[in-house]
Amino acid sequence: MGEKSSTKAATRGSKEARESKQQAGAQVAGSEEAAAENVREIKQGTAVESGGKSKKGGAQARSQKASSARGGDAEGGRAATARDRVTRSLASGGAQAKEALGQTEALTGIALGCFLAWVPMTFQSLNIVGDAGEPVLDTVYLVSILALLATQVFISVRHARCGRWIARRPVRAGAATVMTLSTLLLPLAAGSAGDGLPLGSFALGAFATGAAGVLSGVSSGIFLAQFGILVSKFSAKATAAIAAIGYILMLALFCVYSFFGPLESCLFATSMPVVSAFLRDLGASTAKGKAAISKQALPPQALPNNADDRRNLNHLTATLALSAALIGCANELARTLYIQMGIAGSGSGNYALIQAGGTLIVGLGATVIMLALVSMKTPKAPEYCYRIVLLFLVLGSLLLPTPLIYPIDVVAPYAINAASFQCFGIMAWVLICGTCHQYPTASVRTFSLVRAGWTLGPIVGLLMGRFVVHYTPFDLPEVFACALIGGVFAMLTTMTFTERDLAFAVNLLPTDKKRRFTDKCLAVATRCGLSERETEIMTLFAKGRNLAYIQERLCLSKSTVSTHRQHIYQKLGVHSSQEMIDLIQEEKA
């Protein structure tokens, strides 16, 4: 009889516990799953407790169940409050992250524009050195671009070692400081050159010329690699926005620069690297920027372990570098000849302002068109953009002879050529940084190799243009031959970097959709307490990678990956890969 009485008491206790659970669920209806799970655990614990104390009578059991249910209400309420606070905190953090990301993009774009503007201000204008200093400026520019090429090749070859120090704060500050110093050496080099000067002044001028070229080339190469590391952390649209802001601001700053005298020009050009470094680091002070530019964010540099990844990366790097070299050669050849024809026809006094203003207008329109195409919801958008840019590059080269045939100003065809090259630069930044984002362990090597091709092309184009200007009659036949060479180089780009290569590169871009899925994986990992390695493995499994691929990619044994997968399933409360993917898809990023 005592056992039956105890059983009935336990049954009544369980019934009342269920009723208490329902009441608790009604009171905390907005607390999502935490309170309900808590009450279920309380019910189960209470039922076990009542069964173990069945000899104490039904009244005592009912009292304990009611007390436990009230405790469940309180615990459920506290859990709901805590969960609400976490939800509000995550929502606030997400809004702050978006705001910080927008600030980082804007500041990084302005910083890139200041750096890009430093190049034409220093090497493509006579404002600092004057007309008499043009030979010195040509020598400094040639030495600088050769030093830049050597620096980029060195960084790509020694990428494992360079990756450890290139993003450190002293190196970032030092590169900007050396660029400023090299700019200040230009007036000294120009003032110490010329016939009839003492031997000491000639030696000082030669030293200043060589030092300005070498220092500017080495420091700008390091500075540019730092920008590549930073920008590769952003999404494709963000990278396009940063590059567009940078190129448009470069043209605008150069247009303003054309108004200045020698002293103002020197001070303005000298300030560009410092301002660029300050704005870049200011943008890096946000949470997103800290993760992007910090030396800890750059993994140890090495080629991918997977053979297919290594082959695809090498092919993409080679085609991008070769296409950048061809386009750079065609553009520099056309630019050199356009400038010579423009100076002859318009006079050097107003030409800088005319070409800067015209290029700014055409470049702005072309950039808007390119960004509109990139934003189209169609896979063909990058292909259309690529075709349009190449079309205008060919057109800019083929228009070279027109100022010699027809009585038209050289500014319009030159503006088309320069604007199309700016648009190609924007697109190349997106593709290069997207590739570096996909292969972060080889980002330093990839970026430096492609930029080395980007530097090699202008060297060849500059030498060809100087040869035509100084060692030929520089008449219609020579200019027409250069136009054909430039057009052929631009068209050869379609055979070196094909649309298939473009499609593969576009597929690597860190789009917003890919980032949202990655954010969901990180949210699930954080909520379930996964370790860093477990998070990495879970993300790869969620993206459809098999065990063999993960084993080779992460250099782990098969048993280690399997063990990690079992731990992941246990922490997530799932039993299969499909259940894990469903859980991630339902998560709010």
Side-chain angles (χ1 to χ4, degrees), residues 362-374:
V362 178
L364 180 61
T367 302
V368 170
I369 294 173
M370 197 206 75
L371 290 178
L373 287 173
V374 170

Side-chain angles (χ1 to χ4, degrees), residues 437-515:
H437 185 276
Q438 179 67 20
Y439 302 101
T441 59
S443 57
V444 174
R445 174 182 179 272
T446 301
F447 186 85
S448 298
L449 277 179
V450 177
R451 292 300 308 194
W454 204 324
T455 304
L456 178 62
I459 292 177
V460 177
L462 175 65
L463 295 177
M464 292 174 61
R466 292 295 181 183
F467 177 82
V468 172
V469 171
H470 296 293
Y471 299 102
T472 68
F474 191 54
D475 207 347
L476 182 61
E478 291 79 15
V479 175
F480 186 76
C482 291
L484 290 179
I485 293 174
V488 169
F489 280 180
M491 288 185 290
L492 281 176
T493 306
T494 60
M495 291 184 283
T496 57
F497 188 68
T498 63
E499 293 181 356
R500 181 179 179 181
D501 296 327
L502 175 63
F504 178 78
V506 169
N507 188 52
L508 299 179
L509 295 180
T511 59
D512 293 337
K513 183 177 180 181
K514 293 179 181 178
R515 283 178 171 267

Side-chain angles (χ1 to χ4, degrees), residues 144 280 290 313 316 373 437 501 565:
S144 178
R280 181 194 61 189
K290 287 179 181 178
L313 176 61
L316 187 59
L373 287 173
H437 185 276
D501 296 327
R565 180 169 57 182

Side-chain angles (χ1 to χ4, degrees), residues 5-21 42-51 54 57-69:
S5 176
S6 299
T7 304
K8 291 180 180 179
T11 304
R12 287 194 300 268
S14 299
K15 182 178 181 181
E16 291 183 9
R18 286 194 296 270
E19 293 174 355
S20 298
K21 172 202 163 184
I42 292 170
K43 182 202 77 169
Q44 294 172 358
T46 304
V48 172
E49 182 182 0
S50 64
S54 59
Q60 185 178 359
R62 285 194 298 269
S63 175
Q64 290 176 353
K65 299 302 185 288
S67 176
S68 298

Side-chain angles (χ1 to χ4, degrees), residues 341-354:
M341 290 185 289
I343 291 175
S346 303
S348 60
N350 298 323
Y351 180 74
L353 176 61
I354 295 173

